[in-house]
């Protein structure tokens, strides 16, 4: 079955996420751990930051979805990430790779290359990271994006085809591709880039939504990856309308993720 993303099916996935409360294992960076867990809880998912070796692998076998974000990759966490990715791959657990600053910094670049062997279900990053990961460029200036998603479109498609992952590139208009079909999400707000975790927490939400679809259906995986971005960015827009700046935005964002309903997602969606 191939599912094309419509606002209605993104809205339906939000409802299913609330019903099924997926258990999302996060091996993520030290900066965004708390925010990421709060974003998952606000949406109705269950976060578990299980990121030490010997626990990470077995847990990935029972989790609904796994996030591996290489933002602060200490040695022990690197081993846990490889263990979790291997176990997720073996168990058929959907997992998301966020290649934070890959291409710029050597330790995480080598780690990301190893992680790709375990076939992420989705890869989510900023344009520089996606370009670097696709080895079409040398990356940007680090953790923040320096290119637009459109400038990474070819790299994203190449990366998707070479890994089998759906690839989501963040920016003003997010681009999500499986290498043959591309979905663009125009929703979002610049305040997401003024709080830590604005991109990173989206990786965790993507893992949550991927857990709801057939892992053997590429169309459903692409649609779920884009639906995660849509739900997340609609909540961000609504939050920004009530926010005085980054601090109150973060608070309103959690509230909007919590209260967001399917009808609002369908009504506010700007897809192309
Ligand atoms: N200028 C913008 N206008 C509207 N929405 C934006 C803008 N920039 C980013 N976004 C939204 O914010 C989300 C996070 O994007 P961002 O570029 O901050 O990710 P990131 O670089 O991975 O972040 P992080 O540094 O937290 O990992 C995107 O999915 C996008 O929808
Ligand atoms: C600021 C920062 N440094 C390493 S990871 C991270 C969070 C945003 O990616
Ligand atoms: Mg990032």
């Amino acid at each position: 079955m191939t599912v094309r993303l419509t606002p209605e099916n993104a809205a339906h996935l939000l409802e299913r996420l609330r019903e099924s409360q997926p258990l999302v294992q996060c091996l993520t960076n030290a900066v965004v751990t708390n925010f990421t867990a709060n974003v998952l809880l606000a949406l109705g998912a269950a976060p578990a930051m299980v990121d030490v070796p010997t626990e990470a692998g077995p847990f990935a076998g029972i989790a609904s979805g796994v996030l591996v974000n290489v933002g602060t990759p200490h040695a022990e966490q690197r081993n846990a990430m490889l263990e979790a990715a291997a176990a997720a791959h073996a168990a058929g657990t959907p997992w998301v790779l966020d290649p934070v600053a890959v291409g710029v910094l050597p330790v995480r670049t080598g780690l990301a290359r190893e992680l790709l062997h375990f076939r992420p279900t989705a890869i989510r990053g900023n344009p520089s990271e996606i370009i670097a990961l696709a080895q079409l460029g040398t990356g940007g200036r680090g953790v923040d994006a320096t290119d637009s998603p459109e400038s990474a479109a070819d790299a994203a498609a190449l990366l998707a085809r070479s890994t089998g992952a759906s690839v989501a590139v963040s920016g003003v208009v997010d681009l999500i591709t499986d290498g043959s079909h591309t979905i663009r999400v125009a929703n979002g707000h610049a305040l997401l880039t003024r709080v830590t975790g604005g991109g990173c927490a989206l990786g965790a939400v993507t893992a949550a939504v991927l857990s709801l679809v057939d892992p053997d259906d590429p169309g459903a995986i692409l649609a779920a990856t884009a639906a995660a971005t849509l739900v997340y960015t609609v909540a961000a827009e609504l939050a920004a309308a009530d926010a005085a700046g980054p601090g109150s935005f973060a608070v309103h964002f959690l509230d909007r993720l919590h209260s967001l309903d399917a009808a609002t997602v369908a009504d506010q969606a700007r897809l192309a």
Side-chain angles (χ1 to χ4, degrees):
M1 180 183 63
T2 295
V3 181
R4 216 166 48 83
L5 185 68
T6 61
E8 291 69 30
N9 88 40
H12 180 61
L13 284 169
L14 172 64
E15 285 176 337
R16 287 188 43 217
L17 191 155
R18 293 239 173 77
E19 284 158 18
S20 67
Q21 303 172 18
L23 175 61
V24 184
Q25 179 183 9
C26 301
L27 300 92
T28 193
N29 70 73
V31 185
V32 304
T33 302
N34 178 251
F35 185 71
T36 301
N38 282 335
V39 162
L40 288 170
L41 286 168
L43 265 180
M49 279 42 194
V50 182
D51 68 348
V52 295
T54 76
E55 292 180 357
F59 203 85
I62 59 154
S64 313
V66 179
L67 168 67
V68 175
N69 170 308
V70 303
T72 53
H74 297 286
E76 189 178 57
Q77 202 195 40
R78 295 201 297 278
N79 289 330
M81 287 173 173
L82 290 165
E83 201 181 270
H89 179 58
T93 307
W95 76 277
V96 177
L97 175 63
D98 189 331
V100 180
V102 159
V104 181
L105 298 169
V107 170
R108 66 199 60 204
T109 302
L111 174 63
R113 196 175 290 120
E114 285 188 73
L115 286 166
L116 286 178
H117 293 138
F118 302 114
R119 297 265 174 175
T121 315
I123 299 169
R124 192 220 72 81
N126 67 40
S128 321
E129 292 157 353
I130 296 303
I131 290 169
L133 204 57
Q135 298 183 323
L136 290 181
T138 53
R141 67 184 169 91
V143 174
D144 296 319
T146 54
D147 303 299
S148 84
E150 292 307 318
S151 71
D154 290 346
L158 188 75
L159 184 62
R161 284 195 295 269
S162 65
T163 60
S166 62
V167 175
V169 195
S170 61
V172 176
V173 178
D174 292 56
L175 181 152
I176 302 99
T177 186
D178 63 3
S180 44
H181 300 95
T182 299
I183 298 168
R184 290 176 175 80
V185 178
N187 298 89
H189 197 279
L191 278 172
L192 271 176
T193 68
R194 302 263 65 97
V195 294
T196 53
C200 302
L202 174 56
V205 171
T206 304
V209 178
L210 284 168
S211 75
L212 307 171
V213 302
D214 179 353
D216 297 319
D217 181 343
I221 288 169
L222 176 66
T225 305
T229 296
L230 179 62
V231 164
Y232 189 87
T233 55
V234 166
E237 275 179 8
L238 297 170
D242 295 331
S248 53
F249 170 74
V251 171
H252 285 299
F253 184 48
L254 294 176
D255 290 349
R256 289 293 188 169
L257 289 166
H258 177 71
S259 63
L260 191 62
D261 59 43
T264 304
V265 173
D267 184 58
Q268 298 294 309
R270 297 198 307 282
L271 296 172

